[in-house]
Amino acid sequence: MSIRLGYQIPNFTHPGVPVEKLFDTVAAQARDAEAAGFDTVLVMDHFYQLPGIGAPENAMLEAYTTLGALASATSTIQLSTLVTGNTYRNPALLAKTVTTLDVVSKGRAILGIGAGWFEREHHDYGFEFGTFGQRFERLEEALTIIAPMLRGEQASLEGKWYTARGAMNNPRLRPTVPIMLGGSGEQKTFRLAARFADHMNIICDIADLPRKVAVLRERCAEIGRDPATLKTSYLVMGMVGETAQEAKELGETIPEDRRNRAFLGTPDEVAEQLREKVLGAGIDGITINLIRNGHRPGVVTRVGEALKPLVAG
């Protein structure tokens, strides 16, 4: 499993697109991404729209229902969340869910997972939020259950947060489903990635990326894992316009707290920036979102065509 070029769809609110056409717009983006050379389509696991993208009452589709539908709308592209909030689901059920997605998609599922962070969703939906440390305790216990279940092994744990008593997971299509962790925490997230993950998607300001890569390699070395076996990608907020003027206008919509993660320009200009600042920092792959204009016909195709040469071979 490798995510060399991922396309994330985090926004479902577009002018002139009524709710009955909403999924059609999502499916069209996924098919365009597949045709343009992206290898993975990813959706967020949230119930409200995130600050910086839109208002909380804006449209937000449930992640695994959406991925299951995309499995039928596509044929080759991998499907994942970026990333599943561990606090939202029982871990054995999550293992069953992603394994079923793998069967439905004929072997294209990836389990993206993280500790969870959006407190308002927890409050409104009645999920326990807990402290930062507690959420990572829960994530470690969850992975202790999920990882063997994805391999077809029975999982047992009498933990502080979760219990599994010989939990089985059938049917399965592949020997295992790949696990991707998402985040930036050097002490907790990176240590868990070194232990459990096949892939690490790093989410951070671009200036911090070289240090994050170096620390992740250290976490692998600490447990005797070859860092080359833990592939990496970086989440990019793409403000990609067909012209310099459009790119400038898109750039004006970037929230202040996300400006250090956004890339602005035409497709070719953004490709060059990513080659230098992301791949040049030692990252293996790129996941990009196009939150303002990805729904417009042709945009995903043009961005994919510009970025694909960066990760070819």
Side-chain angles (χ1 to χ4, degrees):
M1 185 279 297
S2 179
I3 300 176
R4 299 298 305 281
L5 189 58
Y7 178 60
Q8 185 203 35
I9 307 175
N11 186 20
F12 305 109
T13 300
H14 308 299
V17 180
V19 67
E20 61 267 23
K21 297 292 185 182
L22 192 157
F23 180 72
D24 294 342
T25 304
V26 176
Q29 291 178 70
R31 286 191 291 264
D32 286 351
E34 185 173 69
F38 288 90
D39 56 55
T40 311
V41 166
L42 310 99
V43 298
M44 300 194 303
D45 184 31
H46 286 291
F47 311 120
Y48 295 165
Q49 185 52 273
L50 301 188
I53 297 179
E57 61 269 18
N58 282 3
M60 181 55 60
L61 297 178
E62 193 281 321
Y64 282 97
T65 310
T66 304
L67 292 173
L70 287 176
S72 293
T74 58
S75 58
T76 60
I77 202 160
Q78 297 176 121
L79 302 167
S80 182
T81 58
L82 186 57
V83 285
T84 305
N86 176 63
T87 45
Y88 298 142
R89 294 171 187 83
N90 170 279
L93 175 60
L94 178 57
K96 170 64 75 174
T97 300
V98 74
T99 304
T100 299
L101 176 64
D102 200 54
V103 172
V104 169
S105 66
K106 297 181 173 60
R108 295 186 280 137
I110 296 169
L111 172 61
I113 192 168
W117 64 271
F118 196 179
E119 186 172 6
R120 178 172 176 180
E121 289 179 335
H122 291 77
H123 174 271
D124 289 8
Y125 274 65
F127 293 112
E128 183 177 359
F129 189 60
T131 66
F132 179 80
Q134 288 171 340
R135 293 196 298 280
F136 276 92
E137 288 179 1
R138 293 176 67 169
L139 179 59
E140 182 173 4
E141 286 192 9
L143 288 166
T144 302
I145 293 169
I146 292 167
M149 290 184 69
L150 296 184
R151 298 190 297 266
E153 302 168 9
Q154 295 186 20
S156 295
L157 179 71
E158 293 289 340
K160 177 180 177 181
W161 300 99
Y162 301 116
T163 298
R165 303 181 181 93
M168 297 185 290
N169 188 24
N170 294 307
R172 294 181 310 109
L173 184 69
R174 294 187 285 173
T176 191
V177 173
I179 296 173
M180 171 180 67
L181 263 67
S184 62
E186 298 175 10
Q187 297 302 319
K188 297 182 182 295
T189 302
F190 286 5
R191 290 184 193 279
L192 291 176
R195 286 179 56 196
F196 291 103
D198 303 283
H199 190 96
M200 178 71 217
N201 182 269
I202 298 177
I203 304 170
C204 67
D205 290 351
I206 191 63
D208 296 332
L209 191 54
R211 188 187 80 251
K212 298 292 184 182
V213 172
V215 173
L216 182 62
R217 291 171 177 167
E218 290 174 8
R219 297 293 172 259
C220 289
E222 287 169 359
I223 62 169
R225 178 175 181 175
D226 180 357
T229 66
L230 180 56
K231 298 301 182 181
T232 56
S233 56
Y234 177 71
L235 178 60
V236 172
M237 175 180 280
M239 294 294 165
V240 187
E242 295 189 55
T243 65
Q245 179 60 32
E246 183 187 7
K248 179 177 180 296
E249 292 170 357
L250 290 170
E252 292 170 354
T253 73
I254 303 172
E256 188 64 35
D257 63 347
R258 299 195 181 205
R259 292 185 179 274
N260 293 326
R261 303 180 186 185
F263 287 75
L264 173 67
T266 65
D268 288 340
E269 289 170 343
V270 168
E272 178 57 26
Q273 295 168 34
L274 296 177
R275 183 194 64 76
E276 177 186 352
K277 296 182 179 181
V278 176
L279 300 181
I283 290 288
D284 300 308
I286 296 160
T287 292
I288 190 168
N289 60 44
L290 303 166
I291 61 174
R292 301 299 181 221
N293 60 354
H295 67 289
R296 283 178 19 204
V299 171
V300 172
T301 299
R302 284 186 282 276
V303 172
E305 290 172 348
L307 300 188
K308 186 178 178 181
L310 297 179
V311 296

